[in-house]
Amino acid sequence: MNLRGRALFRHAEAAMAPHYAQVLAPTALMADSLATILRRPVGVIGNAPGIDLALAPEPARTEPGVIAVGTVEPRKNYDAVLALADSLATHAAPWTVRVVGRQGWGDIAASWESQVAARAGRLEWHGHASDAALLALYQSATCFVSMSLAEGFNMPLVEAGSLGLPVVCSDIAIHRQVAPPWARFVPLTIAPADLARVVEEAAALPPRPKRCRPIATGSVGTGSPRPW
């Protein structure tokens, strides 16, 4: 995180933690991590999509397109998304990579507008989109991608999965806990050409509606319930 974020979350929150009646986290993984950092018990309360998915328009996935959602900052690893856009541009199909999220901080944010301009026609930046615009973008995409280095939950991944999108994500512990069963996990070190191949394969085999229904309603039928 940047200096401001570290001051707020590492120091201020740690100082306040003993005074809170309860501290809750959306997953057991985060609860265990926070309990170690804050040195006090942390409960698990679960989570839910941040937007009303019932308001999503009907899917309109007529052209191959990737959607990535999140603030433009180092933790989200948008360098990998930019490299993916470059690699998909070499393929026969006219892929478009659409990024939704405000401009944050760090080197990637400082150069972001020029990075987008250099990839005009294959990379779109939609900024801080409204809920309605985000839902429409989810429903027009053929694959959701998140190459985050770290996450506390990754709400957009859960939203995309709940809407039945193919999901390709970095192989980090939190993604293993919250991603839908059909998600494809890739190492953070994956080459752009290999990531493009996985995205194309995932988009070509979208999950069946019957498989998506338990995810959208908050359970997976058997085993441990999902945390949303």
Side-chain angles (χ1 to χ4, degrees):
M1 300 188 74
N2 59 11
L3 182 61
R4 179 182 177 185
R6 291 198 300 272
L8 176 61
F9 293 107
R10 179 185 294 175
H11 304 300
E13 287 297 332
M16 288 297 298
H19 305 287
Y20 295 143
Q22 294 184 60
V23 179
L24 304 167
T27 63
L29 181 68
M30 289 300 102
D32 292 344
S33 178
L34 281 172
T36 300
I37 295 168
L38 301 178
R39 300 179 181 177
R40 61 158 296 165
V42 177
V44 180
I45 197 172
N47 211 338
I51 54 180
D52 188 351
L53 301 181
L55 300 178
E58 289 299 310
R61 298 173 180 138
T62 57
E63 297 181 358
V66 169
I67 184 170
V69 182
T71 301
V72 179
E73 47 105 336
R75 180 173 56 87
K76 293 292 185 177
N77 194 18
Y78 275 116
D79 287 331
V81 176
L82 295 174
L84 171 64
D86 292 339
S87 188
L88 286 171
T90 66
H91 293 214
W95 281 84
T96 302
V97 176
R98 297 179 175 92
V99 174
V100 183
R102 66 180 179 83
Q103 193 167 351
W105 64 277
D107 291 343
I108 186 65
S111 65
W112 184 246
E113 291 185 3
S114 62
Q115 297 278 15
V116 174
R119 295 168 175 82
R122 62 181 187 274
L123 178 67
E124 298 177 3
W125 178 37
H126 292 262
H128 188 61
S130 67
D131 288 357
L134 177 57
L135 286 168
L137 289 166
Y138 278 138
Q139 295 294 68
S140 66
T142 53
C143 188
F144 173 88
V145 170
S146 175
M147 291 300 293
S148 293
L149 305 176
E151 289 286 351
F153 184 73
N154 202 341
M155 183 67 74
L157 186 153
V158 171
E159 292 169 349
S162 297
L163 290 169
L165 264 173
V167 170
V168 175
C169 57
S170 52
D171 194 357
I172 57 177
I174 191 66
H175 285 169
R176 287 282 181 178
Q177 192 164 89
V178 305
W182 59 84
R184 300 187 182 217
F185 300 94
V186 296
L188 286 166
T189 55
I190 191 170
D194 292 333
L195 179 57
R197 176 181 52 78
V198 174
V199 166
E200 287 191 314
E201 291 174 354
L205 293 170
R208 298 186 303 276
K210 285 180 65 176
R211 199 177 186 198
C212 299
R213 199 168 298 119
I215 303 302
T217 56
S219 68
V220 292
T222 59
S224 300
R226 292 285 168 175
W228 61 86

